[in-house]
Amino acid sequence: MLRVPYADLDRALHRAMLHLGLRGDRAALCARLFAETTRDGVYTHGLDRFPRFAAMVANGSIDLAAEPTCVAAAAALERWDGHLGPGNLNAYAAIERAIELARQHGLGGVALANTNHWMRGGSYGWLAAESGLFAICWTNTLANLPAWGAASPTLGNNPLVVAIPRPDGAHVVLDMAVSQFSYGTISAYAARGQQLPVPGGYDAAAIYPPTPPPSRPRSARWPIGYWKGSGLSLVLDLLAAMLSGGLATHQLPRDPARESGLSQIFLAIDPSNFAARPVLDRIANGILDSLRAAVPSIPPAPVRYPASRRSACAKRTPPRRSRRS
Amino acid sequence: MLRVPYADLDRALHRAMLHLGLRGDRAALCARLFAETTRDGVYTHGLDRFPRFAAMVANGSIDLAAEPTCVAAAAALERWDGHLGPGNLNAYAAIERAIELARQHGLGGVALANTNHWMRGGSYGWLAAESGLFAICWTNTLANLPAWGAASPTLGNNPLVVAIPRPDGAHVVLDMAVSQFSYGTISAYAARGQQLPVPGGYDAAAIYPPTPPPSRPRSARWPIGYWKGSGLSLVLDLLAAMLSGGLATHQLPRDPARESGLSQIFLAIDPSNFAARPVLDRIANGILDSLRAAVPSIPPAPVRYPASRRSACAKRTPPRRSRRS
């Protein structure tokens, strides 16, 4: 693996964004979101994803000039339209607004229609946690998972983000798709000639229930928990499309290079009016201490929690604080 | 299976609640929540659960006289204390309050500490949906799942409820625990001498990763999606305990007959200020139609969605409308 200083990566991405046609502040923020994702070790959604981002600008799926606007409001809940602008800039604006609303009302929600792939969903959870707030965010996606009982994909893998603020940047940020495996992971196992560690999807025949479940799917990938993730994916899509008034999974282009018009939800929670920070921290510490004290499986493996590995990646370079506009 | 008229079941449960010591209105509501659960086919959490409810009253885990109170508020977000009262009555009061808050602020949240098992979590999603609102609710539980990489249970199966309102009572209500299988399902397969259809947990040795994964777990049950459900369970517990100021999974009694002091979250969403009902219904219909049109697996099985089977159970008896207090 090649190591480059974070500042060099950020600068190169910034130049690339300007070259594509983004303006000053937006180019800098878009570049930083890509660069931080790579810095944090989520390689698939950082620099590695820039070529597809550029291709989607070229094919008209992403409108670099478009900025999100609020189209309707009801106190703590707002509807925004992303106008098919860059997905990470739209999502950043949406979680910033949800944070503002939560500071005012305790809860804040933004339902965002007509947006694009948000790249690393965790970015928006990190921003909320850096701001001292809790967040729950999700996006729908093109159809890439079969519903349980179906052979053809009708559900999205609809990534879900849950963020819990903790001191010194040690936030807990869950950032997971509803699919059991990403295409990247399945390809990596296949390239090494290995079976997946647990069942990952249907074989070519889509026989239900498969006996034994295939561990190297050739056809559709399964949702987590089989029928359970199937239901979870469905309700995330229903909430995203209905609350935002935007498109649902079944209406999105099936070509990943033209997957545009997504619907997303950003919920932020601010209990600071009645919950003292040290008390919250003690509760979280107790939960994480009990996790670390668990009897390990055989062979012993450290019990991890969402984002517990991020600090190891991020500390290789001096961290940059999130800037608030 | 023995069939009894719904009214008889409700009346018998009502008498039983009065006999236990619940007062008039509360006895009637508690009985109705149990009876409706059985009517809807969720047998494990209706009448079948009454003996444990009665035992927990007898052993002091449930205080029949305790009513929930609001202990702190910040506009759309409130903290309530359940004072160890009956879990279904506490949860009913909490979702009713979340609905009121959402009608006022667009979003409404109640974080409830010191409560008891809410019986069927779906009941609170149904109430929100019957009121025309969306809801997301969850509870923590005693430790009954290992974190991924652990052999001993440190996580709860933390049931999650997501409700989407639709016309004519055809709501979509997801009501799922984060465990892949319930103990009841595992026992039922074992009693029939059948293997589970998909891997369900560790074998006695808790070897990680098991090859092949055991389909009849003798020891700990797995969360849905293995490492993914492990992360999901953790963040649900963090949110529930931190926002409510109540107990976390690791602090709850390990004896199911004394599992008391739970923490729960009730979020309600009311977009009616800006989203017209017929438009919402069209979006939901499009999503469910696309699901029904999916190519079936082999052999063909109807593609279902959360709560799509409920109407078949409920229509055996004349449905009773939810009463609002």
Side-chain angles (χ1 to χ4, degrees), chain B residues 5 7 19 31 43 46 59 73 93 95 99 112 139 142 147-148 190-191 196 202 227 243 248 250 277 279-281 316:
Chain B
H19 181 74
Y43 303 113
N59 74 23
I95 188 66
I99 289 168
L112 174 65
T139 179
L142 59 79
W148 193 244
L196 291 173
Y202 284 119
W227 49 91
L243 294 177
H250 73 98
R277 196 70 244 174
V279 178
L280 292 182
D281 295 342
R316 290 194 211 113

Side-chain angles (χ1 to χ4, degrees), chain A residues 211-258:
Chain A
T211 312
S215 60
R216 195 188 299 179
R218 292 182 219 166
S219 175
R221 300 178 302 162
W222 278 333
I224 57 167
Y226 315 94
W227 49 91
K228 290 196 169 186
S230 177
L232 181 60
S233 167
L234 180 77
V235 297
L236 293 177
D237 188 36
L238 282 162
L239 279 165
M242 293 172 80
L243 295 177
S244 74
L247 300 183
T249 285
H250 74 99
Q251 298 168 306
L252 295 171
R254 290 297 182 101
D255 173 2
R258 295 179 183 278

Side-chain angles (χ1 to χ4, degrees), chain B residues 182-219:
Chain B
S182 68
Y183 288 116
T185 300
I186 291 174
S187 300
Y189 272 86
R192 293 195 299 265
Q194 289 177 334
Q195 294 282 102
L196 291 173
V198 296
Y202 284 119
D203 60 13
I207 290 173
Y208 165 87
T211 312
S215 60
R216 195 188 300 179
R218 288 180 222 167
S219 175

Side-chain angles (χ1 to χ4, degrees), chain A residues 76 105 151 179 208 228 295 298, chain B residues 76 105 151 179 208 228 295 297-298:
Chain A
H105 303 282
S179 51
Y208 165 87
K228 290 196 169 186
V295 177
I298 302 169
Chain B
H105 303 283
S179 51
Y208 165 87
K228 291 196 169 186
V295 177
S297 58
I298 303 168

Side-chain angles (χ1 to χ4, degrees), chain B residues 25-46:
Chain B
D25 276 0
R26 285 163 53 84
L29 175 58
C30 193
R32 176 163 70 80
L33 290 169
F34 271 97
E36 287 179 350
T37 299
T38 294
R39 178 201 67 193
D40 292 350
V42 188
Y43 303 113
T44 48
H45 288 71

Side-chain angles (χ1 to χ4, degrees), chain A residues 121-231:
Chain A
S123 297
Y124 319 109
W126 284 101
L127 182 61
E130 281 290 320
S131 308
L133 271 70
F134 298 75
I136 306 173
C137 313
W138 64 93
T139 179
N140 64 8
T141 69
L142 59 80
N144 54 23
L145 299 178
W148 192 244
S152 61
T154 57
L155 300 173
N157 63 346
N158 301 352
L160 172 68
V161 173
V162 181
I164 288 105
R166 296 184 64 233
D168 305 322
H171 313 304
V172 175
V173 181
L174 177 80
D175 177 5
M176 68 171 216
V178 176
S179 51
Q180 183 64 63
F181 291 104
S182 68
Y183 288 116
T185 300
I186 291 174
S187 302
Y189 271 87
R192 293 195 298 265
Q194 290 177 335
Q195 294 282 101
L196 291 172
V198 297
Y202 283 120
D203 61 13
I207 291 172
Y208 165 87
T211 312
S215 60
R216 195 188 299 179
R218 292 182 219 166
S219 175
R221 300 178 302 162
W222 278 333
I224 57 167
Y226 315 94
W227 49 91
K228 290 196 169 186
S230 177

Side-chain angles (χ1 to χ4, degrees), chain B residues 243-311:
Chain B
L243 294 177
S244 74
L247 299 183
T249 285
H250 73 98
Q251 298 169 306
L252 295 171
R254 290 296 183 101
D255 174 2
R258 294 179 183 276
E259 181 193 23
S260 189
L262 307 181
S263 299
Q264 298 174 348
I265 303 289
F266 301 83
L267 297 175
I269 308 174
D270 181 6
S272 60
N273 267 19
F274 54 71
R277 196 70 244 174
V279 178
L280 292 182
D281 295 342
R282 269 201 300 279
I283 295 173
N285 287 343
I287 292 172
L288 297 178
D289 286 348
S290 102
L291 196 72
R292 294 190 196 96
V295 177
S297 58
I298 303 168
V303 178
R304 297 198 197 91
Y305 56 86
S308 60
R309 276 185 295 187
R310 179 213 190 226
S311 50

